[in-house]
Amino acid sequence: MKHVTLLSLAAAFGLFSSVAFAGNATANLAVSATVANNCIISTGALTFGAYDPIVTNASTNKTSSVSVSATCTTGATATIRLGQGLNDGTGSAEVPARKLKSGTDTLAYFLYQPDNSTVWGNTTGTGVTATA
């Protein structure tokens, strides 16, 4: 019976001693992440509406506008280039010969950079650069 009592006291002492001798320590934790440069480019629909090649638009170009926006990670640089489209004609990537098509009928059009005078093409030199 004495033996059991000593074991009980030893077990109780062991519980208290671990609390009594607990200490604090600090250390730095290294944390890192690699953020990839990325952009999302979005546009609305470009609609020209009614086109009259005989009277109204015989000597005046039909114009329309749409927003092109880019959302990029901080520090990313993007060059937004616009291809020739689904009905490309014979032209270069710098000045794409874009066409609207209905059956066998086509209507040529150009897309311009925000300055409204430079054709927006599909090369680095004719694209629009944006930096986040």
Side-chain angles (χ1 to χ4, degrees):
M1 184 119 173
K2 255 185 176 182
H3 184 62
V4 172
T5 304
L6 288 176
L7 288 176
S8 296
L9 288 175
F13 180 74
L15 289 174
F16 290 113
S17 67
S18 65
V19 173
F21 293 109
N24 292 325
T26 61
N28 291 327
L29 173 64
V31 177
S32 65
T34 302
V35 178
N37 285 340
N38 199 1
C39 295
I40 297 172
I41 300 170
S42 60
T43 67
L46 179 62
T47 57
F48 288 103
Y51 179 76
D52 177 5
I54 304 300
V55 179
T56 307
N57 302 116
S59 60
T60 304
N61 289 332
K62 178 77 174 175
T63 62
S64 186
S65 64
V66 66
S67 294
V68 176
S69 65
T71 304
C72 299
T73 53
T74 302
T77 300
T79 300
I80 303 168
R81 300 181 299 194
L82 302 178
Q84 305 229 95
L86 296 177
N87 306 297
D88 59 324
T90 55
S92 67
E94 288 89 15
V95 184
R98 299 174 173 106
K99 294 182 180 182
L100 296 173
K101 187 174 182 179
S102 176
T104 58
D105 297 327
T106 61
L107 181 62
Y109 67 97
F110 291 98
L111 298 174
Y112 291 92
Q113 294 181 11
D115 66 8
N116 289 323
S117 62
T118 306
V119 173
W120 200 332
N122 194 21
T123 64
T124 302
T126 60
V128 174
T129 301
T131 302

